[in-house]
Amino acid sequence: LPDLGGREITVAVENLYPPYNFINANGEAIGWDYDTFRDICRLLNCVPVFVETAWDGMLIAIAAGEFDVAADGITYTEDRDETVDFSQLYQAYDETLLVRADETRFSTVAELQAVSDFLVGTQIGTTNEITAHELFGDRVNSFDTFGAAIQALLNGDVDAVVVDRPAADGYIETTGGMMTLEESLAGIEGLAFAFPPGSDLIEPVNAAMD
């Protein structure tokens, strides 16, 4: 494996996206991204420095070289690949509807679309937002964070939240009171780490991931 000689690697995370990164009840920043990048750096002889960063500017900051890598459950897309570079994929997943645990009015997208005056929440600037608009048109309320969308769901301000299924499971575990629908919204997609264009870290990180 490559030896990065103790180099510090700045890792952008949102700390609002369980199970990938979030703040637990003890105020500790934890999650899959933390565990994985610490393991990657153990293999490559580097030091991960995690920096909390808002999602809406994260990929812009990566494209500008403000961080070495973004680890935030980021979906690979061809459009994003035009401004940032990506690692190999590390997780396959699908998108789902997250609903309240006592929801009985609908169990599919078609049934939700038949509900009068329904609203769907999601996070702005995500592939989930694209899927939400494709399925539900102008019946979508986009929030700055998924945490805000989740709270709107629990408060009854929206009827469902479009989100990646692993993140939905993470919110169910950390927050409770919700469930996912079985229906897959947009087929299988893949997550990857995002890097500044031409980053010399992509090859070492891929080697460590292998």
Side-chain angles (χ1 to χ4, degrees), residues 2-8 44-47:
D3 186 336
L4 298 183
R7 174 176 167 183
E8 287 193 351
L44 299 179
N45 186 21
C46 59
V47 179

Side-chain angles (χ1 to χ4, degrees), residues 134-199:
E134 288 176 348
L135 292 174
F136 304 110
D138 61 358
R139 308 300 299 175
V140 176
N141 192 350
S142 296
F143 296 83
D144 288 339
T145 67
F146 266 116
I150 298 302
Q151 195 57 54
L153 175 65
L154 294 173
N155 291 344
D157 298 325
V158 299
D159 299 287
V161 172
V162 177
V163 63
D164 297 345
R165 195 177 297 274
D169 292 339
Y171 281 112
I172 290 170
E173 182 176 347
T174 59
T175 305
M178 297 172 289
M179 64 180 181
T180 57
L181 302 188
E182 291 185 10
E183 185 176 4
S184 180
L185 303 185
I188 299 299
E189 301 171 85
L191 302 182
F193 299 123
F195 296 84
S199 172

Side-chain angles (χ1 to χ4, degrees), residues 34-116:
Y34 286 93
D35 296 340
T36 299
F37 248 93
R38 286 174 180 139
D39 284 344
I40 287 171
C41 274
R42 273 193 283 270
L43 292 172
L44 299 179
N45 186 21
C46 59
V47 179
V49 179
F50 297 95
V51 183
E52 185 174 308
T53 310
W55 165 253
D56 60 1
M58 187 179 293
L59 291 181
I60 295 172
I62 288 291
E66 295 179 24
F67 304 103
D68 292 313
V69 60
D72 203 55
I74 300 170
T75 300
Y76 170 85
T77 69
E78 291 183 356
D79 286 344
R80 288 173 175 172
D81 200 19
E82 293 179 0
T83 57
V84 300
D85 285 348
F86 284 95
S87 70
Q88 64 193 32
L89 301 180
Y90 61 76
Q91 182 174 11
Y93 73 95
D94 66 338
E95 296 176 74
T96 185
L97 283 178
L98 184 62
V99 301
R100 291 182 291 276
D102 59 356
E103 182 59 72
T104 58
R105 297 170 298 164
F106 59 90
S107 60
T108 66
V109 167
E111 291 174 356
L112 172 57
Q113 291 168 332
V115 173
S116 61

Side-chain angles (χ1 to χ4, degrees), residues 14-32:
E14 192 180 10
N15 281 339
L16 292 169
Y17 201 45
Y20 301 102
N21 54 74
F22 61 103
I23 306 299
N24 69 10
N26 297 322
E28 301 166 322
I30 64 170
W32 187 90

